[in-house]
Amino acid sequence: MKCVRLVQTLAIGLAVVQGAAAQPTEVNLIFDTELTELNLTGGPFPMPLASDPTNALGDSVDGYGFVNSQVNVTLSSQRAVNPGPPSIGQACASSSPDGAGGHCDGTSDPIDPSQLDGQPFIVDSFFDVFFDITVTDVDARAGRDYAGQPDGASILLPDNGPAPMQSFYFRTFDQNAPNFDLIPPPEADPYIGHVDIEIPLGGDVNGNNEDDKIKFTLVTHSVGDGNRSFIIAPDGTVFDTFDSGAVLDGLVVDESTDPPFRIGAQLPNGLPDISAFGGPTTASSLLRNPIVPEPAGGALLLCGLAGLVLRRRAD
């Protein structure tokens, strides 16, 4: 009887603790995230980087000639020597009776995954990305060389950013999935970045006595649904690896001209074509919210505590 009363007393205490951790009507989850590896490559893409002041090449725009170029984009933090800033972000998921209301408000409620399983969530995932871009001349045609550079030259443009990217989407909470299947976003909901990133080229491409710059105006970056893998570290950090694709729209500009270019290609549905410009990507995520013990864990705790108390009394 003493054992029964002891277990009952411990059960009441645990019930009080679990009751205090009961889920509110709306639950906010916050993941701290970081892009740790990005390798987008593709081409050739026509880049307006040849000097053609008289438009002799036939398709030049106001002195900018187009050079077929291979393009590679990596994270600035990936550089082995003198790495650049990290590309960090957050993913904020919110549950409410109608499955709406995602936001990051700084709070991170304790959660019981079993109580949230199957509930709809709306997720706001965003990054500030710092990237390096390398363009390589692969154009064998006469005159199609980067201004002031020999045939086959490469240009490295490092530490561009921060370039904000954001994806806003709905997901269903899955207690058995990494990140509860809330991140990364599905392929159909790409990250969109109105980046407006300007990169000085340090020279005058079109020969009008004005230094030029590359200007990115829009980036669309999708996370492929296939070929996803997850590694969970001992501290709970989840490393997601997946194939991703991107489309970068931009201009080479000075004060008077704006010849456009595009890196990548779009599928008929408007999403980036991974086969045209894409590659493997890795992101990390760590949930801020404490996870409360599940009922099974609580039962084991009761048994252990009851046994310990009874053993001490017997001694």
Side-chain angles (χ1 to χ4, degrees), residues 14-308:
L14 180 60
V16 171
V17 173
Q18 289 180 330
Q23 304 289 209
T25 302
E26 181 177 337
V27 177
N28 297 312
L29 282 73
I30 300 178
F31 297 85
D32 290 328
T33 59
E34 180 180 353
L35 287 176
T36 58
E37 184 177 359
L38 178 71
N39 296 282
L40 304 180
T41 187
F45 303 113
M47 299 291 294
L49 294 174
S51 181
D52 186 22
T54 62
N55 297 323
L57 295 176
D59 59 353
S60 299
V61 177
D62 294 326
Y64 295 93
F66 288 89
V67 182
N68 288 333
S69 304
Q70 192 76 9
V71 180
N72 180 243
V73 173
T74 57
L75 298 175
S76 299
S77 59
Q78 285 179 239
R79 294 199 307 268
V81 178
N82 190 27
S87 296
I88 59 177
Q90 282 190 330
C92 310
S94 182
S95 170
S96 66
D98 59 357
H103 56 278
C104 271
D105 61 2
T107 63
S108 48
D109 312 303
I111 64 167
D112 181 346
S114 64
Q115 293 187 22
L116 299 177
D117 191 49
Q119 291 191 29
F121 273 74
I122 190 166
V123 186
D124 184 5
S125 178
F126 49 88
F127 288 98
D128 283 333
V129 182
F130 290 86
F131 64 96
D132 296 351
I133 181 168
T134 302
V135 291
T136 301
D137 172 11
V138 293
D139 201 324
R141 295 175 295 174
R144 306 283 180 161
D145 304 319
Y146 300 151
Q149 300 292 322
D151 188 41
S154 293
I155 299 175
L156 170 64
L157 304 169
D159 294 330
N160 306 297
M165 299 194 308
Q166 185 173 27
S167 179
F168 200 66
Y169 55 95
F170 288 91
R171 294 295 268 180
T172 299
F173 191 101
D174 182 349
Q175 65 173 329
N176 298 313
N179 297 322
F180 306 117
D181 205 30
L182 299 176
I183 52 175
E187 185 174 344
D189 295 291
Y191 288 95
I192 303 295
H194 297 273
V195 293
D196 203 23
I197 296 295
E198 297 184 354
I199 309 170
L201 293 174
D204 176 18
V205 175
N206 62 336
N208 68 344
N209 298 316
E210 297 181 48
D211 282 353
D212 298 296
K213 59 191 175 185
I214 288 179
K215 180 178 180 180
F216 289 102
T217 57
L218 179 65
V219 172
T220 305
H221 185 172
S222 65
V223 176
D225 286 332
N227 202 29
R228 296 190 180 197
S229 62
F230 302 87
I231 297 174
I232 302 177
D235 68 349
T237 300
V238 179
F239 292 91
D240 313 328
T241 300
F242 43 85
D243 290 332
S244 60
V247 174
L248 291 77
D249 289 320
L251 312 164
V252 174
V253 302
D254 57 28
E255 295 180 356
S256 56
T257 58
D258 299 327
F261 63 86
R262 166 169 283 189
I263 297 170
Q266 287 181 307
L267 297 169
N269 61 6
L271 295 175
D273 184 350
I274 293 177
S275 65
F277 188 64
T281 303
T282 301
S284 68
S285 57
L286 180 62
L287 179 66
R288 282 191 187 180
N289 303 65
I291 297 179
V292 300
E294 296 183 359
L300 291 175
L301 178 62
L302 278 177
C303 294
L305 289 174
L308 180 60

